[in-house]
Amino acid sequence: MLGNPNRARLVKIATFNVNGVNGRLPVLLRWLELAQPDIVCLQELKAPDERFPERAIRDLGYEAIWHGQKSWNGVAILSRVGEIHETRRALPGDLDDSHSRYIEAAVNGVLIAGLYLPNGNPRPGPKFDYKLRWFDRLHDHLSELVGLDAPVVIAGDFNVMPTDLDVYAPGRWRDDALFAPEVRAAYARLLEQGWTDALRALHPGEPIYSFWKYWRDSFQRDAGLRIDHILLNKPAAARLVAAEVDRRPRAWQKTSDHAPVWIELADRPKRTRRPKGDA
DNA sequence: ATGCCCTTCTGTGAAGGA
């Protein structure tokens, strides 16, 4: 491929739990300019629809769709690489669910879902039950997306650490709603549908975190959790060339407790290596 | 075992977060 003038273009797709899109607007804008993502899923807007800072985001070249609510939750998709064709703004399966936690759109030939899975604490309790029900609904819906011929990218705050490698102190989190056996099993069942956990696929065996509590100098001590994930169906996974956590914004003043996670996809499948002796 | 810290709201402490 050296010197190939037709080298594949890349699209950079990120997810960022901003923990308040208005309180964190300077951080978000600074990060957009620094990181130059093409498509971004945001979570925890904590703002009603009419208070989404559309103009400031548009001034940086992004169009956006969002699904907010007062005080809590809220998700958005930004794009600077073409129109956002919204396909849904709620997870099916519960018409009474009032939480704004899911948004989905076709952008530039990729189906993008942005989600904010319930926290679920305390466990046990109704919030934990709601988390497991939400997971069931997600499982049902993603079963219909995983087999699409187009690349599908599921990005967001899943509020799950999938394995011990994703927790600074696994022993202390065993009974927590983010790490409990039922929740890790629910995440594993999702992957069994055929999704690739992009960060883990490119960094096997390595501790990776995307969240650090505000307390006790957690970031300075790197006492973190990996709860922000990007899942890829097979057509998307075949184009995956990079996946990283951008830790830089976590060190800024007045910042989110999450760091952005991002991937790069080639605009066509990577060339697969042929087995030796293949004609 | 708990608090720690931070957000939001017509708030002035409470609730939710993870």
Side-chain angles (χ1 to χ4, degrees):
Chain A
M1 293 296 277
L2 274 180
N4 184 341
N6 299 318
R7 189 166 54 192
R9 286 188 306 276
L10 302 177
V11 59
K12 183 173 182 177
I13 303 172
T15 177
F16 191 8
N17 180 324
V18 289
N19 189 10
V21 72
N22 287 304
R24 228 59 89 174
L25 189 58
V27 166
L28 173 60
L29 298 178
R30 179 180 173 188
W31 174 73
L32 288 173
E33 293 201 282
L34 177 69
Q36 295 289 311
D38 297 306
I39 300 169
V40 185
C41 296
L42 300 177
Q43 303 88 37
E44 281 210 84
L45 304 179
K46 293 187 171 182
D49 280 341
E50 62 272 21
R51 292 201 57 220
F52 184 81
E54 180 181 17
R55 186 179 306 170
I57 287 169
R58 189 174 288 280
D59 285 347
L60 290 186
Y62 293 88
E63 63 177 284
I65 62 170
W66 59 92
H67 187 199
Q69 77 183 73
K70 190 169 130 185
S71 298
W72 313 119
N73 310 316
V75 287
I77 298 175
L78 320 183
S79 166
R80 65 170 194 182
V81 288
E83 284 182 40
I84 304 173
H85 303 279
E86 182 175 314
T87 48
R88 58 170 53 249
R89 54 174 48 218
L91 196 58
D94 183 358
L95 294 173
D96 293 330
D97 187 357
S98 60
H99 294 204
S100 298
R101 297 182 176 274
Y102 187 89
I103 193 163
E104 183 189 291
V107 184
N108 201 19
V110 180
L111 188 66
I112 306 277
L115 65 84
Y116 175 46
L117 219 136
N119 174 302
N121 276 307
R123 168 184 175 268
K127 290 184 179 177
F128 190 68
D129 296 341
Y130 174 63
K131 180 177 196 169
L132 293 182
R133 286 201 311 275
W134 210 93
F135 239 127
D136 287 342
R137 291 162 59 200
L138 183 64
H139 190 275
D140 287 347
H141 183 53
L142 294 195
S143 72
E144 301 189 2
L145 303 187
V146 68
L148 297 179
D149 293 331
V152 181
V153 175
I154 315 296
D157 177 356
F158 284 68
N159 269 317
V160 181
M161 298 86 87
T163 72
D164 283 4
L165 270 181
D166 306 309
V167 194
Y168 68 98
R172 296 185 186 178
W173 288 84
R174 296 276 177 226
D175 297 325
D176 191 276
L178 280 68
F179 198 49
E182 311 92 294
V183 172
R184 276 183 287 154
Y187 186 84
R189 280 200 301 275
L190 272 190
L191 295 190
E192 285 164 13
Q193 291 181 335
W195 300 99
T196 295
D197 178 334
L199 259 180
R200 191 47 82 200
L202 293 190
H203 303 279
E206 162 188 335
I208 312 170
Y209 309 134
S210 64
F211 167 90
W212 300 260
K213 286 186 290 190
Y214 289 120
W215 313 340
R216 286 191 160 187
D217 299 320
S218 294
F219 186 59
Q220 288 75 10
R221 294 185 295 115
D222 201 21
L225 310 173
R226 188 172 75 98
I227 55 179
D228 301 277
H229 307 303
I230 300 180
L231 305 187
L232 310 176
N233 74 342
K234 291 207 159 42
R239 300 170 187 222
L240 178 65
V241 295
E244 302 288 342
V245 177
D246 188 347
R247 297 167 68 111
R248 296 171 298 180
R250 186 60 183 80
W252 297 347
Q253 297 298 309
K254 297 283 289 177
T255 198
S256 172
D257 38 7
H258 295 250
V261 175
W262 60 268
I263 60 168
E264 281 179 340
L265 299 183
D267 66 355
R268 56 175 179 267
K270 292 177 291 181
R271 216 170 66 166
T272 49
R273 201 175 305 159
R274 289 172 193 280
K276 238 176 217 173
D278 205 29

